[in-house]
Amino acid sequence: MYVGGILSHIVIGAINPHPAPETAEFIYNYKLQSAYILILPGLGLKILIDLILFFGFGERAWWMRIKLAMTAFLTVNAFVFLVPMMPQLLELAQASIPDGKLSDAFHALENKEKMVGMSNIAPLITEMVMGAFKPGITKAERAGSTSTT
């Protein structure tokens, strides 16, 4: 849910790089709704599962700690920056409709949103790799993963 929601934000922005105000209103309405329906619940599930792994199952490997750190970064970015920007961008797009062109305030906030969104790429990929491959990062973890019983 989380990754799919993010990917849908990227795709809808990429196929409409310079939208008219009406199209921008549609795009940011979509982004806002998908954030509420896909991204935030998916992030919540991701955090819950990670915490269950860490506290419930005692998963203390370094890959898990890195995964938790990346999840914390992504969570702060989502709640402090991206989610609050979505309604603002939608309002700015709606306010631009009578003029027939998107305002400078819209473009400034949209550029900020893009920069914050791009800052999620490395942590998101790192978090997914850690969860999918569970690499042995320390020497002891590598030694433990290569031994056979």
Side-chain angles (χ1 to χ4, degrees):
M1 288 171 60
Y2 177 70
V3 174
I6 290 171
L7 293 175
S8 73
H9 277 219
I10 293 167
V11 169
I12 197 166
I15 62 174
N16 294 290
H18 305 290
E22 295 83 3
T23 306
E25 177 190 24
F26 176 82
I27 289 170
Y28 281 96
N29 187 40
Y30 169 80
K31 285 185 172 189
L32 179 64
Q33 296 308 314
S34 71
Y36 292 149
I37 294 168
L38 291 173
I39 295 173
L40 295 179
L43 180 60
L45 286 172
K46 192 166 104 40
I47 292 167
L48 177 66
I49 297 304
D50 287 350
L51 292 175
I52 289 170
L53 278 171
F54 192 79
F55 292 110
F57 290 96
E59 183 57 69
R60 297 293 197 269
W62 277 101
W63 64 265
M64 186 66 195
R65 294 175 188 187
I66 293 170
K67 188 176 184 330
L68 287 171
M70 297 300 105
T71 298
F73 178 87
L74 294 167
T75 301
V76 168
N77 250 4
F79 284 100
V80 173
F81 298 107
L82 294 172
V83 172
M85 283 184 205
M86 292 296 128
Q88 293 171 356
L89 283 161
L90 179 57
E91 288 174 17
L92 289 169
Q94 290 168 337
S96 296
I97 291 173
D99 295 334
K101 74 177 209 122
L102 293 166
S103 68
D104 291 338
F106 175 88
H107 288 298
L109 189 58
E110 183 184 42
N111 287 335
K112 183 178 177 184
E113 183 239 354
K114 286 178 183 178
M115 295 302 290
V116 173
M118 285 190 282
S119 74
N120 283 338
I121 294 170
L124 181 60
I125 291 171
T126 301
E127 190 276 333
M128 289 180 359
V129 167
M130 293 296 126
F133 298 107
K134 301 169 184 62
I137 297 170
T138 66
K139 189 174 185 177
E141 288 173 342
R142 286 192 306 274
S145 68
T146 58
S147 64
T148 56
T149 49

